[in-house]
């Protein structure tokens, strides 16, 4: 019962802090891309820090965090893994649903940071434009983050890896850094309860360029799923925990 109370208090304060941080940084963010990134990193760090002392959830990033221009293909289980990845990368650019642009605060900052908002079925066109803008210098390069399964997937639930990641890998001709996580065990897709423990985002060894689409997708899925399952088992997850909340 106490953990339920702590979980609800955590969610309330995190929700309140989002517009507070957004408004405090707004003057800087309007005139500087650095300001927009600083605002979102400040909010992410606040949520990560308060999770430690309020709900007993520690967050760690393992592996080598990429610094240059690269494709990052991540496992997506929770809003927590978004914040951890964003906070870890110097200049993360997420591929996201277009609908997110219309959400308060998050949408405005996503636009300011040139996140790649796509309509379902038109992702290739949006990514092509983004790459052209980077090459021309119209927008700043960074680490392009894609969730290969296209949505949040709870621990223990199977979902196919989308072919769009392979198309992007081929188009960018850059190494791809896979990312595993166990965040969904502690911070589920649905529900208010937050488990105490250690949430991890792990940057794995890059997948080299030049692979066929089939070979790339096979290696990506094997690496991400295997590492994520290991992190989940280390956290104490069992298949019975996979029941949606």
């Amino acid at each position: 019962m106490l953990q339920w109370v702590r979980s609800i208090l955590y969610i309330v304060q995190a929700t309140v802090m989002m517009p507070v941080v957004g408004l405090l940084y707004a003057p800087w963010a309007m005139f500087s891309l650095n300001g927009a990134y600083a605002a979102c990193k400040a909010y992410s760090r606040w949520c990560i820090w308060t999770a430690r002392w309020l709900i007993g959830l520690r967050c760690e990033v393992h592996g080598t965090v990429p610094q240059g221009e690269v494709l990052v293909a991540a496992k997506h289980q929770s809003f927590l893994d978004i914040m951890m990845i964003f906070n870890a990368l110097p200049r993360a650019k997420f591929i996201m649903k277009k609908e997110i642009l219309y959400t308060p605060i998050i949408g405005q900052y996503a636009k300011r940071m040139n996140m790649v908002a796509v309509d379902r079925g038109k992702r290739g066109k949006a990514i092509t434009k983004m790459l052209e803008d980077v090459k021309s210098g119209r927008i700043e390069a960074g680490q392009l983050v894609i969730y290969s399964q296209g949505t949040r997937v709870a621990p223990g639930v199977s979902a196919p890896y989308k072919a769009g990641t392979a198309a992007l890998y081929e188009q960018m001709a850059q190494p791809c850094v896979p990312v595993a996580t166990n965040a969904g065990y502690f911070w589920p897709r649905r529900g208010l309860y937050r488990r105490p423990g250690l949430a991890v985002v792990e940057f794995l060894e890059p997948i080299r360029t030049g692979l066929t689409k089939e070979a790339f997708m096979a290696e990506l899925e094997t690496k991400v799923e295997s590492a994520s399952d290991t992190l989940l088992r280390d956290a104490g997850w069992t298949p019975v925990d996979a029941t949606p909340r």
Side-chain angles (χ1 to χ4, degrees), residues 82-123:
I82 295 178
M83 292 189 292
M84 292 175 69
I85 291 171
F86 181 83
N87 188 51
L89 293 171
R91 272 295 194 267
K93 293 185 181 298
F94 285 84
I95 297 175
M96 60 177 60
K97 296 184 296 184
K98 186 177 181 180
E99 291 79 4
I100 295 176
L101 295 181
Y102 303 106
T103 59
I105 309 299
I106 293 177
Q108 299 306 309
Y109 275 90
K111 291 177 184 177
R112 185 68 184 90
M113 293 182 291
N114 298 307
M115 299 296 176
V116 184
V118 298
D119 288 320
R120 295 194 182 275
K122 298 181 180 179
R123 178 177 297 180

Short mmCIF file of all heavy atoms in Angstrom, two decimals, residues 82-123:
data_model
loop_
_atom_site.label_atom_id
_atom_site.label_comp_id
_atom_site.label_asym_id
_atom_site.label_seq_id
_atom_site.Cartn_x
_atom_site.Cartn_y
_atom_site.Cartn_z
N ILE A 82 12.40 6.34 -22.66
CA ILE A 82 12.56 7.53 -23.50
C ILE A 82 13.41 8.57 -22.78
O ILE A 82 14.36 9.11 -23.34
CB ILE A 82 11.19 8.14 -23.85
CG1 ILE A 82 10.36 7.18 -24.70
CG2 ILE A 82 11.36 9.47 -24.59
CD1 ILE A 82 8.98 7.69 -25.03
N MET A 83 13.07 8.84 -21.54
CA MET A 83 13.80 9.86 -20.77
C MET A 83 15.25 9.45 -20.54
O MET A 83 16.16 10.28 -20.62
CB MET A 83 13.10 10.13 -19.45
CG MET A 83 11.75 10.81 -19.60
SD MET A 83 11.04 11.37 -18.03
CE MET A 83 10.69 9.79 -17.24
N MET A 84 15.48 8.17 -20.27
CA MET A 84 16.85 7.72 -20.02
C MET A 84 17.71 7.81 -21.27
O MET A 84 18.87 8.23 -21.22
CB MET A 84 16.82 6.29 -19.48
CG MET A 84 16.21 6.17 -18.08
SD MET A 84 16.04 4.46 -17.51
CE MET A 84 17.78 4.00 -17.30
N ILE A 85 17.16 7.41 -22.41
CA ILE A 85 17.91 7.50 -23.66
C ILE A 85 18.15 8.96 -24.04
O ILE A 85 19.26 9.33 -24.43
CB ILE A 85 17.16 6.76 -24.78
CG1 ILE A 85 17.17 5.25 -24.52
CG2 ILE A 85 17.77 7.06 -26.15
CD1 ILE A 85 16.29 4.45 -25.46
N PHE A 86 17.12 9.78 -23.93
CA PHE A 86 17.27 11.20 -24.27
C PHE A 86 18.32 11.86 -23.39
O PHE A 86 19.15 12.66 -23.88
CB PHE A 86 15.94 11.92 -24.12
CG PHE A 86 16.01 13.38 -24.48
CD1 PHE A 86 15.91 13.79 -25.80
CD2 PHE A 86 16.21 14.35 -23.51
CE1 PHE A 86 16.01 15.13 -26.14
CE2 PHE A 86 16.30 15.69 -23.83
CZ PHE A 86 16.19 16.08 -25.16
N ASN A 87 18.30 11.56 -22.11
CA ASN A 87 19.24 12.17 -21.20
C ASN A 87 20.67 11.71 -21.47
O ASN A 87 21.62 12.47 -21.28
CB ASN A 87 18.86 11.83 -19.75
CG ASN A 87 19.68 12.59 -18.73
OD1 ASN A 87 19.81 13.80 -18.79
ND2 ASN A 87 20.27 11.86 -17.79
N ALA A 88 20.84 10.47 -21.93
CA ALA A 88 22.17 9.92 -22.16
C ALA A 88 22.81 10.42 -23.45
O ALA A 88 24.02 10.68 -23.49
CB ALA A 88 22.10 8.39 -22.18
N LEU A 89 22.02 10.58 -24.50
CA LEU A 89 22.56 10.98 -25.81
C LEU A 89 22.76 12.49 -25.88
O LEU A 89 21.95 13.25 -25.37
CB LEU A 89 21.61 10.54 -26.92
CG LEU A 89 21.48 9.02 -27.15
CD1 LEU A 89 20.35 8.74 -28.13
CD2 LEU A 89 22.79 8.44 -27.65
N PRO A 90 23.83 12.94 -26.56
CA PRO A 90 24.07 14.38 -26.66
C PRO A 90 23.00 15.12 -27.45
O PRO A 90 22.55 16.20 -27.06
CB PRO A 90 25.42 14.46 -27.40
CG PRO A 90 26.06 13.13 -27.22
CD PRO A 90 24.93 12.14 -27.14
N ARG A 91 22.56 14.55 -28.59
CA ARG A 91 21.61 15.24 -29.46
C ARG A 91 20.64 14.23 -30.06
O ARG A 91 20.61 13.98 -31.26
CB ARG A 91 22.36 15.97 -30.59
CG ARG A 91 22.80 17.41 -30.25
CD ARG A 91 21.59 18.31 -30.04
NE ARG A 91 21.92 19.71 -30.03
CZ ARG A 91 22.20 20.42 -28.95
NH1 ARG A 91 22.21 19.82 -27.77
NH2 ARG A 91 22.47 21.70 -29.02
N ALA A 92 19.82 13.65 -29.22
CA ALA A 92 18.86 12.65 -29.67
C ALA A 92 17.78 13.27 -30.54
O ALA A 92 17.25 14.33 -30.22
CB ALA A 92 18.23 11.95 -28.47
N LYS A 93 17.45 12.58 -31.63
CA LYS A 93 16.33 12.98 -32.49
C LYS A 93 15.45 11.75 -32.65
O LYS A 93 15.80 10.81 -33.34
CB LYS A 93 16.84 13.47 -33.84
CG LYS A 93 17.62 14.78 -33.76
CD LYS A 93 17.98 15.28 -35.15
CE LYS A 93 18.77 16.57 -35.07
NZ LYS A 93 18.02 17.66 -34.44
N PHE A 94 14.30 11.78 -32.00
CA PHE A 94 13.41 10.63 -32.00
C PHE A 94 12.48 10.65 -33.22
O PHE A 94 11.99 11.71 -33.63
CB PHE A 94 12.55 10.62 -30.74
CG PHE A 94 13.29 10.19 -29.50
CD1 PHE A 94 14.05 11.10 -28.79
CD2 PHE A 94 13.24 8.88 -29.06
CE1 PHE A 94 14.74 10.72 -27.64
CE2 PHE A 94 13.92 8.48 -27.92
CZ PHE A 94 14.66 9.40 -27.20
N ILE A 95 12.23 9.47 -33.77
CA ILE A 95 11.17 9.30 -34.75
C ILE A 95 9.90 9.02 -33.95
O ILE A 95 9.85 8.07 -33.17
CB ILE A 95 11.48 8.15 -35.71
CG1 ILE A 95 12.74 8.48 -36.52
CG2 ILE A 95 10.30 7.89 -36.64
CD1 ILE A 95 13.20 7.37 -37.42
N MET A 96 8.89 9.85 -34.12
CA MET A 96 7.70 9.77 -33.28
C MET A 96 6.42 9.93 -34.10
O MET A 96 6.46 10.41 -35.25
CB MET A 96 7.75 10.86 -32.21
CG MET A 96 7.80 12.26 -32.77
SD MET A 96 7.77 13.54 -31.50
CE MET A 96 9.23 13.15 -30.56
N LYS A 97 5.32 9.53 -33.51
CA LYS A 97 4.03 9.70 -34.16
C LYS A 97 3.71 11.19 -34.29
O LYS A 97 3.98 11.98 -33.39
CB LYS A 97 2.93 9.01 -33.35
CG LYS A 97 3.04 7.52 -33.24
CD LYS A 97 1.86 6.93 -32.50
CE LYS A 97 1.80 7.41 -31.07
NZ LYS A 97 0.69 6.77 -30.31
N LYS A 98 3.11 11.55 -35.41
CA LYS A 98 2.78 12.95 -35.67
C LYS A 98 1.85 13.53 -34.60
O LYS A 98 1.93 14.72 -34.28
CB LYS A 98 2.13 13.06 -37.05
CG LYS A 98 1.88 14.50 -37.50
CD LYS A 98 1.31 14.52 -38.91
CE LYS A 98 1.10 15.96 -39.38
NZ LYS A 98 0.54 15.99 -40.76
N GLU A 99 1.00 12.67 -34.02
CA GLU A 99 0.04 13.13 -33.03
C GLU A 99 0.71 13.76 -31.80
O GLU A 99 0.13 14.61 -31.13
CB GLU A 99 -0.86 11.97 -32.57
CG GLU A 99 -1.82 11.47 -33.63
CD GLU A 99 -1.17 10.55 -34.65
OE1 GLU A 99 0.03 10.23 -34.50
OE2 GLU A 99 -1.87 10.14 -35.60
N ILE A 100 1.94 13.34 -31.52
CA ILE A 100 2.64 13.85 -30.34
C ILE A 100 2.89 15.36 -30.46
O ILE A 100 2.96 16.07 -29.46
CB ILE A 100 3.96 13.09 -30.13
CG1 ILE A 100 3.65 11.62 -29.79
CG2 ILE A 100 4.81 13.72 -29.03
CD1 ILE A 100 4.87 10.75 -29.65
N LEU A 101 3.00 15.86 -31.68
CA LEU A 101 3.26 17.29 -31.89
C LEU A 101 2.12 18.15 -31.37
O LEU A 101 2.30 19.35 -31.13
CB LEU A 101 3.48 17.58 -33.37
CG LEU A 101 4.72 16.95 -34.02
CD1 LEU A 101 4.79 17.38 -35.49
CD2 LEU A 101 6.00 17.37 -33.30
N TYR A 102 0.95 17.56 -31.18
CA TYR A 102 -0.22 18.33 -30.74
C TYR A 102 -0.45 18.23 -29.24
O TYR A 102 -1.43 18.78 -28.73
CB TYR A 102 -1.46 17.86 -31.51
CG TYR A 102 -1.30 17.96 -33.01
CD1 TYR A 102 -1.11 16.81 -33.77
CD2 TYR A 102 -1.28 19.19 -33.65
CE1 TYR A 102 -0.94 16.90 -35.15
CE2 TYR A 102 -1.10 19.29 -35.01
CZ TYR A 102 -0.93 18.14 -35.76
OH TYR A 102 -0.75 18.23 -37.11
N THR A 103 0.44 17.54 -28.52
CA THR A 103 0.32 17.47 -27.07
C THR A 103 0.94 18.70 -26.43
O THR A 103 1.94 19.23 -26.95
CB THR A 103 0.99 16.20 -26.52
OG1 THR A 103 2.37 16.21 -26.88
CG2 THR A 103 0.33 14.95 -27.07
N PRO A 104 0.38 19.19 -25.33
CA PRO A 104 0.94 20.37 -24.67
C PRO A 104 2.38 20.13 -24.22
O PRO A 104 2.74 19.03 -23.81
CB PRO A 104 0.01 20.58 -23.47
CG PRO A 104 -1.24 19.85 -23.82
CD PRO A 104 -0.83 18.68 -24.66
N ILE A 105 3.20 21.16 -24.28
CA ILE A 105 4.59 21.16 -23.81
C ILE A 105 5.46 20.23 -24.64
O ILE A 105 6.38 20.67 -25.35
CB ILE A 105 4.71 20.81 -22.31
CG1 ILE A 105 3.77 21.67 -21.47
CG2 ILE A 105 6.16 20.99 -21.85
CD1 ILE A 105 4.01 23.13 -21.54
N ILE A 106 5.21 18.91 -24.57
CA ILE A 106 6.04 17.95 -25.29
C ILE A 106 6.04 18.24 -26.78
O ILE A 106 7.09 18.23 -27.44
CB ILE A 106 5.55 16.51 -25.03
CG1 ILE A 106 5.78 16.12 -23.56
CG2 ILE A 106 6.28 15.51 -25.94
CD1 ILE A 106 5.26 14.75 -23.20
N GLY A 107 4.87 18.50 -27.34
CA GLY A 107 4.77 18.76 -28.77
C GLY A 107 5.55 19.98 -29.20
O GLY A 107 6.23 19.97 -30.24
N GLN A 108 5.46 21.05 -28.43
CA GLN A 108 6.17 22.28 -28.79
C GLN A 108 7.68 22.10 -28.74
O GLN A 108 8.41 22.58 -29.61
CB GLN A 108 5.74 23.41 -27.85
CG GLN A 108 4.25 23.74 -27.91
CD GLN A 108 3.80 24.02 -29.34
OE1 GLN A 108 4.39 24.83 -30.04
NE2 GLN A 108 2.75 23.35 -29.77
N TYR A 109 8.16 21.40 -27.73
CA TYR A 109 9.60 21.16 -27.63
C TYR A 109 10.08 20.17 -28.69
O TYR A 109 11.19 20.30 -29.21
CB TYR A 109 9.96 20.68 -26.22
CG TYR A 109 10.17 21.83 -25.26
CD1 TYR A 109 9.12 22.35 -24.52
CD2 TYR A 109 11.42 22.42 -25.12
CE1 TYR A 109 9.30 23.42 -23.65
CE2 TYR A 109 11.62 23.50 -24.27
CZ TYR A 109 10.56 23.99 -23.53
OH TYR A 109 10.76 25.06 -22.69
N ALA A 110 9.24 19.20 -29.04
CA ALA A 110 9.61 18.26 -30.10
C ALA A 110 9.79 18.99 -31.43
O ALA A 110 10.73 18.72 -32.18
CB ALA A 110 8.53 17.18 -30.23
N LYS A 111 8.90 19.93 -31.72
CA LYS A 111 9.04 20.74 -32.93
C LYS A 111 10.32 21.55 -32.90
O LYS A 111 11.05 21.64 -33.89
CB LYS A 111 7.85 21.68 -33.08
CG LYS A 111 6.53 21.01 -33.40
CD LYS A 111 5.40 22.04 -33.44
CE LYS A 111 4.06 21.40 -33.67
NZ LYS A 111 2.96 22.39 -33.64
N ARG A 112 10.60 22.15 -31.75
CA ARG A 112 11.78 23.02 -31.63
C ARG A 112 13.07 22.24 -31.83
O ARG A 112 14.04 22.77 -32.36
CB ARG A 112 11.78 23.70 -30.25
CG ARG A 112 12.91 24.72 -30.07
CD ARG A 112 12.70 25.91 -30.96
NE ARG A 112 13.79 26.85 -30.88
CZ ARG A 112 14.87 26.82 -31.66
NH1 ARG A 112 14.99 25.87 -32.58
NH2 ARG A 112 15.83 27.73 -31.54
N MET A 113 13.09 20.97 -31.41
CA MET A 113 14.30 20.15 -31.52
C MET A 113 14.36 19.36 -32.82
O MET A 113 15.23 18.51 -33.00
CB MET A 113 14.39 19.20 -30.32
CG MET A 113 14.63 19.90 -29.01
SD MET A 113 14.79 18.77 -27.59
CE MET A 113 13.11 18.14 -27.46
N ASN A 114 13.42 19.64 -33.73
CA ASN A 114 13.39 18.99 -35.04
C ASN A 114 13.27 17.48 -34.95
O ASN A 114 13.92 16.74 -35.70
CB ASN A 114 14.65 19.36 -35.85
CG ASN A 114 14.76 20.84 -36.12
OD1 ASN A 114 13.83 21.45 -36.64
ND2 ASN A 114 15.89 21.43 -35.76
N MET A 115 12.44 17.00 -34.02
CA MET A 115 12.16 15.58 -33.97
C MET A 115 11.43 15.18 -35.26
O MET A 115 10.79 16.01 -35.90
CB MET A 115 11.31 15.23 -32.76
CG MET A 115 11.98 15.56 -31.42
SD MET A 115 13.48 14.59 -31.14
CE MET A 115 14.07 15.29 -29.60
N VAL A 116 11.55 13.91 -35.63
CA VAL A 116 10.98 13.44 -36.89
C VAL A 116 9.59 12.90 -36.63
O VAL A 116 9.41 11.78 -36.17
CB VAL A 116 11.87 12.36 -37.53
CG1 VAL A 116 11.31 11.97 -38.90
CG2 VAL A 116 13.30 12.87 -37.65
N ALA A 117 8.58 13.71 -36.91
CA ALA A 117 7.18 13.31 -36.72
C ALA A 117 6.65 12.72 -38.01
O ALA A 117 6.79 13.32 -39.07
CB ALA A 117 6.35 14.52 -36.30
N VAL A 118 6.07 11.54 -37.91
CA VAL A 118 5.65 10.84 -39.13
C VAL A 118 4.20 10.38 -39.04
O VAL A 118 3.69 10.08 -37.96
CB VAL A 118 6.54 9.61 -39.40
CG1 VAL A 118 7.98 10.03 -39.64
CG2 VAL A 118 6.47 8.61 -38.25
N ASP A 119 3.55 10.36 -40.19
CA ASP A 119 2.27 9.69 -40.33
C ASP A 119 2.55 8.21 -40.50
O ASP A 119 3.53 7.82 -41.14
CB ASP A 119 1.51 10.19 -41.57
CG ASP A 119 1.00 11.60 -41.38
OD1 ASP A 119 0.53 11.91 -40.27
OD2 ASP A 119 1.06 12.38 -42.35
N ARG A 120 1.69 7.37 -39.96
CA ARG A 120 1.85 5.94 -40.18
C ARG A 120 1.71 5.64 -41.67
O ARG A 120 0.79 6.09 -42.32
CB ARG A 120 0.82 5.15 -39.38
CG ARG A 120 1.01 5.29 -37.88
CD ARG A 120 0.20 4.26 -37.12
NE ARG A 120 0.36 4.43 -35.67
CZ ARG A 120 1.35 3.92 -34.97
NH1 ARG A 120 2.29 3.22 -35.59
NH2 ARG A 120 1.42 4.09 -33.66
N GLY A 121 2.71 4.93 -42.19
CA GLY A 121 2.69 4.63 -43.61
C GLY A 121 3.48 5.62 -44.44
O GLY A 121 3.73 5.38 -45.62
N LYS A 122 3.89 6.76 -43.85
CA LYS A 122 4.65 7.76 -44.60
C LYS A 122 5.98 8.05 -43.93
O LYS A 122 6.57 9.10 -44.11
CB LYS A 122 3.84 9.05 -44.72
CG LYS A 122 2.53 8.89 -45.48
CD LYS A 122 1.79 10.20 -45.59
CE LYS A 122 0.49 10.05 -46.34
NZ LYS A 122 -0.26 11.33 -46.44
N ARG A 123 6.47 7.10 -43.12
CA ARG A 123 7.70 7.30 -42.38
C ARG A 123 8.90 7.52 -43.30
O ARG A 123 9.72 8.38 -43.06
CB ARG A 123 7.96 6.09 -41.48
CG ARG A 123 9.23 6.16 -40.68
CD ARG A 123 9.39 4.97 -39.75
NE ARG A 123 8.33 4.95 -38.76
CZ ARG A 123 8.23 4.01 -37.84
NH1 ARG A 123 9.08 3.00 -37.81
NH2 ARG A 123 7.26 4.06 -36.95
#
